């Protein structure tokens, strides 16, 4: 049976999806990115060499896989060309394996101008890659799709109108001058388009007609989902499973047989602003950051760190209909005498077991913790269950019992081979 796989982020992004997708995609014939854009930063270590992918599906590092940049993405063509070229320089053939959706929207310099401007009032802590404004233009029906670039006159007209609109907004509302040159933006856009043009197709049809196994790679994480995350401190796409259908153009039924897995760290991190109930602003949080190397792959910003939040993780299990969880970076906890896990929230003495929608409520919740004894043993690079300390297994058992979903795999280091299965899937 053709069993497709969906890999999602269960937290606020940066869960280690890059590494997990990289090692799993060895078994897949097609790898698909379908939401977000260059805000993502998927880091993979192969043989000591570091690869950071922003727009391409991570699975493209496996040469048997066809890569798809699907319609739900907002694509910065300049960065896409650069990313492909960099991989080609490292000896990977990408141009003849990558397909770009004709329906994907493109990110243009005026989106980035707006991203910076919006950040000055009501900071979200975005990656400044123009993601939110690109989706604003898409849903405001002022966006430019890849297929539109086939009509240069129309493209020029749209760019000109959009630049006029953005410039007026900058001047009249923000009292700033950011008048971009429409002709220059147009020419550069067409230059980048020429580079990718041969690879542009209807990717929905491509996937529908494909007979091999497909891996769908979510970017960011469920808690950053525009509808199900900590709105407004979220990204501007459906980073949960909700984004699969609109992001690919495939009917929801297409995914009925797929496996849905999500990746979670053994603790929690987030970058940017917004609620984070288990955040630790003390030496323990600092130790997590240092041991985990918690600095953004796209922006280099230090990540906020805290204990594992099972209320949020349960939300991810429910929203995504998860079949399994993959836990990464358990070894970061090796140095802690005590490890805490949030099992509920409390507000004014009232216990809350479900992740609330309300921002003001989320800002007031206090985590209720269960405390575990740390294992104080080195688990980095562990390759089997039998070598794991019993305290670490107790921690993992508790997570799966709470979530009622199996932990299928443990990732124990950044290199491809540093992992082991707890429940090996049937296809292995
Ligand atoms: P944007 O996606 O650049 O608009 O940023 C919105 C929020 O999502 C900010 O808090 C970002 O830090 C966060 N974010 C966006 N992409 C990622 C990611 O790949 N990993 C983690 N956080 C992200």
């Amino acid at each position: 049976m053709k069993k497709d796989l969906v890999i999602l982020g269960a937290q606020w992004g940066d869960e280690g999806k890059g590494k997990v997708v990289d090692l799993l995609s060895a078994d897949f014939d097609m790898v698909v990115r379908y939401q977000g854009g260059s805000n993502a930063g998927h880091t993979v270590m192969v043989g000591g060499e570091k690869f950071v992918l922003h727009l391409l599906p991570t699975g493209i590092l496996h040469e048997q896989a066809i890569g798809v940049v699907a319609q739900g993405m907002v694509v910065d063509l300049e960065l896409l060309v650069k990313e492909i070229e960099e991989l080609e320089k490292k000896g990977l053939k990408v141009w003849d394996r990558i397909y770009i959706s004709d329906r994907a929207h493109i990110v243009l310099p005026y989106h980035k101008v707006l991203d910076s401007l919006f950040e000055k009032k009501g900071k979200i802590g975005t990656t400044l890659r123009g993601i939110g404004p690109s989706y604003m233009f898409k849903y405001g029906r002022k966006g430019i799709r890849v297929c539109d670039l086939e009509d240069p006159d129309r493209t020029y007209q749209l760019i000109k109108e959009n630049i006029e609109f953005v410039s007026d907004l900058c001047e009249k509302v923000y009292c700033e001058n950011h008048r971009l040159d429409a002709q220059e933006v147009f020419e550069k856009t067409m230059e980048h388009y020429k580079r990718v043009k041969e690879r542009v197709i209807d990717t929905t049809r491509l996937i529908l007609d494909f007979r091999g196994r497909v891996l769908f790679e979510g970017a960011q994480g469920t808690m950053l989902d525009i509808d199900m995350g900590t709105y407004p401190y979220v990204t501007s796409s459906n980073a949960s499973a909700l984004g699969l259908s609109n992001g690919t153009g495939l009917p929801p039924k297409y995914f009925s047989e797929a496996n849905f897995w999500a990746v979670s760290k053994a603790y929690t991190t987030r970058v940017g602003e917004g609620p984070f109930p288990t955040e630790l602003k003390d030496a323990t949080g600092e130790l997590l950051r240092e041991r985990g190397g918690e600095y953004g792959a796209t922006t280099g910003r230090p990540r906020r760190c805290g204990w594992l939040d099972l209320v949020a993780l349960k939300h991810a299990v429910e929203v995504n209909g998860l079949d399994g969880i993959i836990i990464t970076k358990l070894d970061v906890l090796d140095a802690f005498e005590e490890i805490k896990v949030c099992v509920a929230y409390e507000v004014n003495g009232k216990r809350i077991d479900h992740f609330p929608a309300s921002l003001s409520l989320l800002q007031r919740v206090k985590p209720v913790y269960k405390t575990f004894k740390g294992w104080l043993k080195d688990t980095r690079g562990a390759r089997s269950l039998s070598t794991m300390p019993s305290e670490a297994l107790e921690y993992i058992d508790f997570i799966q019992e709470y979530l009622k979903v199996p932990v299928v795999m443990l990732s124990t280091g950044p290199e491809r081979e540093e992992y082991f299965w707890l429940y090996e899937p049937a296809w292995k």
Side-chain angles (χ1 to χ4, degrees), residues 11-15 17 33 36-42 54 115 119 124-133 135 219-221 224 232-237 269-274 296-299 301 303-304:
Q11 299 169 305
W12 280 275
D14 309 318
E15 299 91 349
K17 294 181 295 295
R33 266 279 313 263
S38 64
N39 48 351
H42 296 146
H54 297 285
D115 206 350
E119 280 293 283
I124 299 289
T126 74
T127 59
L128 302 176
R129 298 296 181 103
I131 306 299
Y135 282 113
Q220 292 84 47
L224 288 171
Y233 297 99
V234 290
T235 193
S236 295
S237 64
T269 64
R270 91 170 282 180
V271 274
E273 308 297 311
T298 300
T299 58
R301 289 179 290 178
R303 295 178 185 142
R304 300 157 63 192

Side-chain angles (χ1 to χ4, degrees), residues 237-255:
S237 64
N238 283 113
S240 71
L242 301 189
L244 274 166
S245 206
N246 69 19
T248 56
L250 298 167
K253 259 190 191 163
Y254 174 95
F255 300 96

